Amino acid sequence: MNTSDQPFLPFTRPTLDEQTIAEVGDVLRSGWITSGPQVQAFEAELSQLFGGRPVRTFNSGTATMEIALRIAGIGPGDEVITTPLSWVATSNTILEVGAKPVFVDIDPVTRNIDLSRVAAAITPATRAIMPVYLAGLPVDMDHLYDIAKRHRLRVIEDAAQAIGSQWGGKRIGAFGDFVSFSFHPNKNITSIEGGALVLNNDDEARLAEKYRLQGVSRSGMDGMEVDVLGGKFNLTDVAACVGRAQLKRLDEFNARRAELARRYFDGLAGGDALACGVQLPPADFANTNWHMFQIMLPLERLSLDRAGFMLQLKERGIGSGVHYPAIHLFKLYRALGFRDGMFPHAERAGRAILTLPLFPAMSDADVERVCLAVNAICLKYKK
Ligand SMILES: *Cc1c(COP(=O)(O)O)cnc(C)c1O
């Protein structure tokens, strides 16, 4: 229960303006509400954002990654290298196409896949690497593509959290192989549900269109052919309209996120939380889109666990989140042979990582309130 005298602060909340709501009304009244002109316009605008590379949209980020795997021809007998610290969608899509996820532990500082360990995980069956940019912080992209080139692997970037992130001044999505984004409401921009895939050429884009709608291709006035097994993954025009309105505000949203992240670093500097061993995320203001602000709790130095910590925040009117438990310890993955102890850094993060509130509509005072609460809880429960 929120026993503070302040309104509850969630860990995230989408910012949707009245103009967007009016534009959605226009689409609903237009007579065409599923995939149509809004989707085409959204894809063109995204393509412009990503330096003119082809972009196709889907009804989720999960569908986007699954279709990238299919376009890459990955299936039974193939291995895909990925991180155990992600939303379970990442490795679920690998299983979904019949391939085998091969986890590589994270770097405890960046919390992303440790690229220096990737080479040791490559076998003759390895076909692709699927890195995840947790909280919007990219991996070392030069290192990533160097490994891919040297071992002739495809890369399917799970950039679900990384729209607006950069590497060396280049926008994530504007270079590389397949780059997958999500527009889930928790992401930096939303289409309610949705996703987008940046592709390499028009042939891949045409294949993406088939996979997202029953394998169908059309020609002339009445021609229809089906030559691959596709599914039903198209984005609606209502969703695309929301996405287009959000895209216009991407830079503004991300700038505000960065400002709030700076306030977190300032607000936590020299406080009881750091003294007690709380670890902060890398302060990478050049590259990160600040999708999340995640701290690592020093569980061995606290007399309460993460759930207890979250409850203490909740009593102070503050929401928090867990992104994420280590994937390989879920029952579905244990059944495939994964065990405790295999990826110790990811396991520790899975137990100790905590997402603090961060979204564009937050006030500076909200950040201050969270910092005070985190410091107070650490002081109170320090062993
Ligand atoms: C959100 C997310 C996804 C899945 O996106 P959906 O649109 O929810 O399907 C995949 N991977 C990561 C890392 C995510 O954060």
Side-chain angles (χ1 to χ4, degrees), residues 22-33 38 237-238 241:
E23 284 164 7
V24 166
D26 292 342
V27 172
L28 289 172
R29 280 185 288 265
S30 73
W32 192 269
I33 57 178
Q38 292 291 327
D237 258 21
V238 175
C241 169

Side-chain angles (χ1 to χ4, degrees), residues 47-299:
S47 173
Q48 197 177 16
L49 183 72
F50 300 124
R53 300 184 70 198
V55 176
R56 292 297 180 272
T57 57
F58 305 89
N59 58 6
S60 75
T62 306
T64 305
M65 290 194 297
E66 191 184 314
I67 286 171
L69 285 161
R70 291 196 191 283
I71 296 169
I74 292 167
D78 297 333
E79 295 179 359
V80 178
I81 292 174
T82 191
T83 170
L85 190 70
S86 179
W87 176 226
V88 67
T90 308
S91 48
N92 278 356
T93 62
I94 299 168
L95 292 177
E96 186 63 40
V97 301
K100 180 181 162 194
V102 173
F103 295 114
V104 167
D105 205 357
I106 59 163
D107 170 335
V109 174
T110 65
R111 302 148 182 189
N112 284 328
I113 189 167
D114 183 347
L115 292 176
S116 72
R117 295 170 190 256
V118 165
I122 294 173
T123 75
T126 308
R127 298 284 313 282
I129 312 176
M130 193 184 259
V132 174
Y133 311 145
L134 194 70
L137 174 69
V139 297
D140 179 329
M141 301 298 284
D142 300 321
H143 193 177
L144 171 68
Y145 278 98
D146 181 58
I147 296 168
K149 200 170 162 194
R150 210 151 7 101
H151 298 273
R152 295 172 187 225
L153 303 175
R154 296 304 300 261
V155 178
I156 295 148
E157 299 181 32
D158 183 353
Q161 304 182 359
I163 194 155
S165 295
Q166 308 217 3
W167 178 254
K170 285 190 293 184
R171 186 185 288 280
I172 294 299
F175 63 101
D177 196 351
F178 294 109
V179 189
S180 168
F181 295 95
S182 163
F183 305 125
H184 178 277
N186 286 0
K187 304 299 180 347
N188 288 29
I189 61 168
T190 184
S191 64
I192 308 176
E193 298 285 357
L197 182 63
V198 186
L199 305 121
N200 297 290
N201 53 55
D202 293 338
D203 285 346
E204 285 180 358
R206 269 190 293 276
L207 199 47
E209 288 172 11
K210 289 190 210 173
Y211 278 126
R212 81 177 165 190
L213 215 121
Q214 315 295 1
V216 167
S217 51
R218 295 177 185 277
S219 57
M221 281 302 284
D222 63 349
M224 188 195 289
E225 189 53 89
V226 176
D227 59 356
V228 295
L229 177 59
K232 179 69 170 129
F233 303 115
N234 56 303
L235 191 71
T236 71
D237 258 21
V238 175
C241 169
V242 175
R244 294 181 69 198
Q246 291 268 296
L247 186 56
K248 291 195 184 88
R249 299 188 66 183
L250 173 65
D251 291 344
E252 170 205 336
F253 286 165
N254 284 356
R256 179 62 186 152
R257 284 176 176 274
E259 224 171 82
L260 294 164
R262 277 194 199 283
R263 289 193 175 266
Y264 266 120
F265 284 107
D266 291 348
L268 291 169
D272 293 305
L274 295 197
C276 166
V278 163
Q279 285 169 348
L280 302 181
D284 186 341
F285 285 89
N287 294 314
T288 310
N289 69 353
W290 295 104
H291 172 59
M292 296 189 279
F293 192 92
Q294 298 180 285
I295 60 172
M296 209 71 77
L297 297 176
L299 292 177

